[in-house]
Amino acid sequence: MIPVLERGLDGPPLDFHAGWRLQRRLHAEVVAGDRPGTLVLCEHAPVYTAGRRTRRDERPADPAGTGGTPVVDVDRGGKITWHGPGQLVGYPVVRLRSPIDVVAYVRALEEALIAAAARFGVRGVRVEGRSGVWVPGAGPDGADAKVAAIGVRVAQGVTLHGFALNVANDLAPYDRIVPCGIDDAGVTTLARETGRALTPRDVLPAVVAALADALPPVADVPVASPSALSAGAAA
């Protein structure tokens, strides 16, 4: 059974540094064999996180103009993105099957998020050469718009970081950066695409169920049924 830890969903959002410390602790325990793979689901306090490939021109031009939102350099792949209230962030800390295939793992996360979005009537797709989940034609001038970002790291065969699904978050923070290093597409949310008032709590069961289906082919941890996953959540 894979435990699910919930943080910052029903109270104050989780500080990113606190979440990063939690990830690293869980990662060490999974590597040592002291705990099974674990899925962290959370909402973060506003933060920009910059992956290793982020260029200077992709960062906020005026950090002081971000309303005090910090910019944190992290050790995942990918470039810069934003996290904040209204967004469901997931950190699967799981051991990948051997031989390790990081691309297959990213595709499994995409598959799960596409399936979760479909539960709300939103058609998510992959775009060749770009990770994450996209809504065709939902961006400016008919461009694609990203509804979920993915950035991962694998160390000692165990994963870190994960995905961010835009549920009902503010999109203005993305105007201050080049999100994920892509300047010819937009960003959207499930609430915007459906016209519904949604929260990360509303979409969490669909995400958990979809991950339960998508992760077993690539991860060595047994994945529980959606009901068991939800029952294992900790506040």
Side-chain angles (χ1 to χ4, degrees), residues 33-124:
D34 293 335
R35 72 176 297 131
T38 299
L39 172 64
V40 179
L41 292 171
C42 65
E43 281 184 84
H44 277 306
V47 62
Y48 292 102
T49 64
R52 292 174 301 209
R53 296 191 298 111
T54 303
R55 300 195 313 260
R56 180 174 298 180
D57 62 293
E58 295 166 345
R59 296 170 179 264
D62 176 17
T66 65
T69 303
V71 181
V72 180
D73 290 287
V74 293
D75 57 356
R76 61 165 169 78
K79 297 198 174 189
I80 193 166
T81 192
W82 175 88
H83 300 311
Q87 183 186 71
L88 182 64
V89 177
Y91 300 125
V93 184
V94 296
R95 183 177 298 280
L96 297 186
R97 290 183 173 175
S98 184
I100 291 172
D101 188 337
V102 179
V103 173
Y105 172 62
V106 171
R107 296 294 172 264
L109 295 181
E110 290 171 343
E111 177 186 338
L113 296 172
I114 288 170
R119 292 280 296 272
F120 295 89
V122 176
R123 177 177 171 250

Side-chain angles (χ1 to χ4, degrees), residues 158-186:
V158 176
T159 62
L160 286 156
H161 303 287
F163 62 85
L165 176 62
N166 292 342
V167 179
N169 48 284
D170 184 9
L171 296 179
Y174 292 102
D175 294 337
R176 304 184 182 105
I177 60 172
V178 180
C180 302
I182 297 170
D183 58 8
D184 62 349

Side-chain angles (χ1 to χ4, degrees), residues 82 85-89 110 112-125 133-136 138 145-149 163-171 174 186-208 210:
W82 175 88
Q87 183 186 71
L88 182 64
V89 177
E110 290 171 343
L113 296 172
I114 288 170
R119 292 280 296 272
F120 295 89
V122 176
R123 177 177 171 250
V125 301
V133 176
W134 300 78
V135 179
K146 182 174 270 192
V147 72
F163 62 85
L165 176 62
N166 292 342
V167 179
N169 48 284
D170 184 9
L171 296 179
Y174 292 102
V187 186
T188 191
T189 68
L190 294 180
R192 181 177 180 180
E193 296 306 312
T194 62
R196 295 171 56 185
L198 295 171
T199 68
R201 173 65 67 194
D202 294 330
V203 306
L204 184 148
V207 171
V208 168

